[in-house]
Amino acid sequence: MRRTAAPVAPVEDASPFDHQPPFRPRRNPTKMWTIAAVAFALTLAGLGGAAWYFGLPQWLPGAGQTFGADRPDLELSFPPEKQDRRQLPNGTEYFGASGMVTNTGKAVRALPAILIVLRDSRDKVVKTWEVPPPQDELAPGESVTINAAVTDVPRSAKVAEIGWKPD
């Protein structure tokens, strides 16, 4: 008669339904962090490129603000008929503007710099430049004439906007 050995029971009676961790920990956390950093950098580069191409969204505070706040008692007047855009004989694009700033108040006001912005047909800013004031302040009722000209105007510029330079 042959004797067979009784099967050996495992030390622990483990059931396949017992609680186990849901996953094994990653073996290379440096690789995971590197992938996350590259994905973050690509996302930022994409957002930066979109903001450069399309401009900042209007819902962001200050995103659509090109010019500084209105100045009390200072009236800025640059009529369109005193704005000149033409091509010079050497082929250079020229833009000139002439206007007035008047102090309509009853006190002396500091005269800030003026900002001229040229935009293309898609309303994208193609050139800006600052025009320094001819004097530091204006007395009540005083006016000052401001003339500005620039020659390196992009051909795509279609519209000129003139306002106060932001502080």
Side-chain angles (χ1 to χ4, degrees):
M1 175 171 239
R2 201 169 165 195
R3 283 181 125 185
T4 56
V8 177
V11 177
E12 296 180 26
D13 288 333
S15 168
F17 300 106
D18 282 347
H19 176 72
Q20 294 179 2
F23 58 86
R24 289 185 354 199
R26 291 195 177 265
R27 293 188 179 153
N28 190 352
T30 306
K31 182 179 178 183
M32 178 184 67
W33 284 109
T34 302
I35 291 171
V38 168
F40 182 72
L42 289 174
T43 302
L44 282 183
L47 288 173
W52 173 79
Y53 186 75
F54 296 109
L56 293 175
Q58 295 300 317
W59 53 265
L60 278 176
Q65 182 179 357
T66 305
F67 298 105
D70 286 338
R71 306 295 177 162
D73 300 333
L74 288 180
E75 186 178 306
L76 187 63
S77 173
F78 277 83
E81 59 271 4
K82 290 195 175 187
Q83 296 177 17
D84 182 26
R85 167 107 190 253
R86 65 176 179 253
Q87 187 173 11
L88 299 176
N90 65 359
T92 305
E93 293 286 324
Y94 166 86
F95 177 80
S98 179
M100 293 191 74
V101 177
T102 305
N103 183 353
T104 58
K106 297 183 183 201
V108 174
R109 297 286 179 199
L111 190 58
I114 294 172
L115 185 67
I116 299 178
V117 176
L118 298 177
R119 295 182 183 270
D120 65 5
S121 58
R122 292 181 31 206
D123 204 32
K124 183 178 177 186
V125 174
V126 292
K127 177 150 183 78
T128 63
W129 81 93
E130 176 184 337
V131 179
Q135 59 194 56
D136 292 335
E137 49 189 34
L138 284 177
E142 185 181 9
S143 294
V144 65
T145 301
I146 296 179
N147 296 310
V150 69
T151 56
D152 55 344
V153 176
R155 293 187 189 275
S156 62
K158 302 293 182 209
V159 178
E161 295 176 345
I162 302 170
W164 302 114
K165 181 179 179 251
D167 292 332

